[in-house]
Amino acid sequence: MDSIFSIFGSYVDWDVKRLLLFTAVLILTADFIKNRRPGSFPPGPRAFPIVGNLFTVDYKRTHESMTQLAGIYGDVYSLRMGQAWVVVLNRFEVLKEALVNQGDSLADRPDLPLLVDISHRQGLVFSSGHTWKQQRHFALSTLRNFGIGKKSLEPVILDEFTNCAKDFNSYKGKPFNPHLMINKAVANIICSLVFGHRFDYSDEKFIKLIKWFDEGLEIGGSIWAQLYNAFPLLMRRLPGLHQTVQHIWDDVKDFIRAEIKEHKQKWDPSDQRDFIDCYLNEIQMRKGQADTTFDEENLVISAWDLFVTGSETTSTTLRWAFLYMAKYPEIQEKVQAEIDRVIGQSRQLSMEDRASLPYTDAVIHEVQRMGNIVPISLPHVTNRDVQLGGYTIPKGITVITNLTSVLYDKNEWETPDTLNPGHFLNEEGKFVKPAAFIPFSTGKRVCLGESLAKMELFLFFTSFMQHFTISMPAGVKPVMDYRFGVTLAPLQYEICVHSRLE
């Protein structure tokens, strides 16, 4: 009897093995057939079954990995991220052809599962089509009314610099980490525009908000985000940083909802103080319209988007600027000499001074280029078949525009890997901006916060250089390495700041 059971057990065991082997072969065959590159599709590295090229890229330096792959497969190449194809575009002429000449075909955002679960296809940054057009038009016109790109916003920015400068002075030349202080100062500009008020630097809720954005953007560029987008059904059920980032953004949205609730209690349609007031008024005006996209949830996501586009990128650029000034004291001295000659040390500067400060302006732009704050920009998706670089990119394919390949292109910049303000100066020493300078991307989805960022960068940086000299602590050399995320941020560092007015 035992021998019969033994034979039967062996037979069943072998049968299960055959079934598993057959299933594995079937899955791999189906995966191969389904995900073969069409003949006219851009080339790329060989993809592994199931995961594709998820592990081809080093997610601690994604932008560098993608630029290196362009050297192998060309300026237009493809990657398979799980079950979805992605096309990566490199070099200025290719990006210009795609985003400007064929901009209508790439004006939408892809439905990446993590972004959909967080933004629900609403707001200003991750929406598409009719929703995006309505929201962006309203946001641009409203923010212009509140002074973006106009002289009326200058006092708000300069007052915030004054508050930040007090904190800098309090260290009396001793080493400190400027990260949180810079983030607070820049974030308060957006708070003034969106919420109608600024926060005290010691406000615990405000400090939490700043830290949430910092952590959320770091996780957003990690392997966890890529795995979530590749295998959403599985990852929604597994623990990990992909769950953490959703909790972070939920906390941010709750923070914004609390501000909206306070606004609604005091709201007066005849006295529109800020972006939230104007948006609440727009909801009322459009109530009953069939094509309206204005509701409170869209307001929450739009406010969240404004913080990302108008705050995080600027504060990160300023952190790079301080680090570069400490590394290159001779450049810092030339900036200060120009400021002293044109403005002096006592007069408050204005945006009108920028034309008279070409070297300072060149340094700001070169820091933006070297800092490379949004290295692979935000993803696009084709809404029709597109011809690029001799290849056909079908409708519905996610497209990544690798800004690193443009900002560090040796064919566009004389010394692409070195801070060189001469990239933005002509032979007469006047400021010039090369066409390949596109840190805010280009085309229809160019960064919404570009004009605000330009104002903030010039007024903050020039004011800091007018009032302070920045150096590294004694015996410490600047480390120019980075932390990759949605934004490319410098590693934490300490500096010493000495007042130039004493």
Side-chain angles (χ1 to χ4, degrees):
M1 182 67 72
D2 289 341
S3 61
I4 294 174
F5 279 117
S6 177
I7 295 169
F8 180 75
S10 299
Y11 176 79
V12 171
D13 188 46
W14 174 241
D15 209 42
V16 169
K17 288 179 180 177
R18 284 197 296 180
L19 178 62
L20 291 174
L21 179 62
F22 174 77
T23 303
V25 171
L26 183 64
I27 290 173
L28 293 176
T29 304
D31 181 82
F32 174 76
I33 294 172
K34 177 187 174 185
N35 294 302
R36 280 183 303 177
R37 281 187 178 90
S40 60
F41 199 65
R46 183 183 296 276
F48 290 99
I50 311 301
V51 297
N53 298 115
L54 271 175
F55 301 103
T56 302
V57 176
D58 180 352
Y59 293 98
K60 291 184 178 179
R61 53 185 199 93
T62 303
H63 59 305
E64 292 184 4
S65 287
M66 289 185 170
T67 304
Q68 289 167 0
L69 287 170
I72 302 171
Y73 299 102
D75 294 338
V76 182
Y77 68 86
S78 61
L79 297 170
R80 206 188 101 198
M81 311 306 274
Q83 299 297 296
W85 284 103
V86 170
V87 170
V88 184
L89 307 182
N90 302 269
R91 304 280 293 274
F92 176 62
E93 290 304 324
V94 175
L95 267 66
K96 181 182 176 183
E97 172 62 27
L99 300 180
V100 178
N101 298 347
Q102 300 192 57
D104 288 334
S105 302
L106 288 119
D108 292 337
R109 298 290 188 207
D111 284 337
L112 298 178
L114 184 59
L115 297 180
V116 170
D117 288 354
I118 293 170
S119 70
H120 309 294
R121 302 183 183 88
Q122 294 183 306
L124 302 162
V125 175
F126 299 115
S127 60
S128 298
H130 176 64
T131 299
W132 168 67
K133 290 176 182 177
Q134 267 201 354
Q135 297 298 316
R136 185 179 175 91
H137 180 267
F138 169 81
L140 287 173
S141 60
T142 302
L143 293 175
R144 275 196 294 267
N145 291 338
F146 283 111
I148 287 187
K150 299 179 181 178
K151 195 174 180 64
S152 58
L153 190 61
E154 288 182 25
V156 178
I157 298 173
L158 293 170
D159 284 349
E160 204 56 54
F161 161 74
T162 302
N163 285 294
C164 189
K166 290 177 183 176
D167 274 14
F168 274 39
N169 272 319
S170 69
Y171 287 90
K172 300 186 183 301
K174 295 179 181 179
F176 70 98
N177 186 340
H179 182 175
L180 194 56
M181 274 178 278
I182 297 171
N183 280 25
K184 289 175 184 175
V186 177
N188 258 336
I189 307 302
I190 286 293
C191 288
S192 299
L193 291 167
V194 177
F195 300 151
H197 65 88
R198 67 180 297 278
F199 289 90
D200 188 86
Y201 288 174
S202 62
D203 189 306
E204 288 298 324
K205 290 192 302 180
F206 183 50
I207 294 171
K208 277 186 180 179
L209 181 70
I210 300 297
K211 291 181 176 179
W212 286 335
F213 272 98
D214 197 52
E215 187 178 357
L217 290 173
E218 180 180 3
I219 298 172
S222 70
I223 181 63
W224 292 97
Q226 298 300 328
L227 287 169
Y228 192 101
N229 289 330
F231 308 107
L233 294 177
L234 174 63
M235 297 301 286
R236 286 187 182 112
R237 291 160 175 79
L238 294 178
L241 289 178
H242 56 290
Q243 303 289 359
T244 302
V245 75
Q246 295 200 64
H247 293 315
I248 288 171
W249 294 133
D250 284 344
D251 288 338
V252 170
K253 288 185 282 187
D254 286 342
F255 184 99
I256 296 170
R257 288 188 186 99
E259 286 283 342
I260 294 171
K261 184 177 179 180
E262 287 186 22
H263 274 67
K264 289 173 71 177
Q265 292 171 351
K266 304 173 184 177
W267 181 53
D268 179 359
S270 63
D271 181 23
Q272 297 179 28
R273 303 158 295 174
D274 49 49
F275 183 83
I276 290 178
D277 277 350
C278 292
Y279 201 105
L280 291 172
N281 187 60
E282 195 73 11
I283 292 174
Q284 286 296 113
M285 288 175 57
R286 291 178 178 264
K287 189 172 287 186
Q289 294 182 8
D291 68 339
T292 183
T293 62
F294 291 87
D295 54 48
E296 283 191 30
E297 193 56 29
N298 233 327
L299 169 55
V300 170
I301 304 299
S302 293
W304 173 53
D305 288 339
L306 289 173
F307 270 95
V308 174
T309 58
S311 173
E312 178 62 30
T313 52
T314 303
S315 60
T316 302
T317 305
L318 286 171
R319 287 163 57 205
W320 278 117
F322 289 174
L323 195 56
Y324 277 115
M325 292 305 96
K327 181 177 175 65
Y328 297 103
E330 69 281 6
I331 293 178
Q332 182 176 192
E333 289 172 8
K334 287 186 70 173
V335 169
Q336 291 170 331
E338 183 180 64
I339 293 170
D340 291 349
R341 185 174 65 253
V342 175
I343 301 173
Q345 292 189 2
S346 57
R347 176 173 75 81
Q348 193 175 62
L349 73 147
S350 164
M351 286 301 295
E352 294 175 355
D353 293 314
R354 185 164 66 172
S356 304
L357 298 168
Y359 187 80
T360 302
D361 205 12
V363 169
I364 293 170
H365 282 72
E366 180 67 351
V367 167
Q368 284 183 271
R369 185 191 70 81
M370 286 288 291
N372 190 22
I373 307 304
V374 191
I376 56 173
S377 193
L378 294 174
H380 300 253
V381 66
T382 51
N383 55 37
R384 66 192 72 162
D385 290 359
V386 174
Q387 301 295 320
L388 274 176
Y391 302 107
T392 299
I393 304 174
K395 178 181 178 180
I397 297 292
T398 296
V399 173
I400 292 174
T401 51
N402 182 11
L403 299 186
T404 304
S405 69
V406 179
L407 298 177
Y408 278 75
D409 188 350
K410 63 183 179 181
N411 296 311
E412 301 286 352
W413 311 96
E414 183 182 354
T415 58
D417 298 312
T418 304
L419 190 79
N420 178 7
H423 288 146
F424 295 90
L425 296 168
N426 63 16
E427 293 181 356
E428 290 78 39
K430 294 182 179 180
F431 178 81
V432 292
K433 187 169 71 172
F437 180 72
I438 54 169
F440 299 102
S441 192
T442 188
K444 293 182 178 294
R445 297 300 295 238
V446 67
C447 178
L448 181 73
E450 180 178 0
S451 58
L452 175 60
K454 288 178 178 178
M455 284 188 73
E456 290 176 328
L457 286 173
F458 177 77
L459 294 174
F460 274 125
F461 177 78
T462 310
S463 293
F464 278 118
M465 290 294 95
Q466 182 187 29
H467 289 78
F468 300 106
T469 294
I470 296 168
S471 62
M472 299 302 295
V476 177
K477 292 184 178 180
V479 176
M480 309 310 291
D481 208 353
Y482 55 78
R483 181 212 72 193
F484 185 87
V486 177
T487 55
L488 199 68
L491 299 180
Q492 298 295 333
Y493 64 84
E494 289 191 337
I495 53 172
C496 296
V497 172
H498 298 274
S499 173
R500 301 183 67 230
L501 306 183
E502 295 176 358

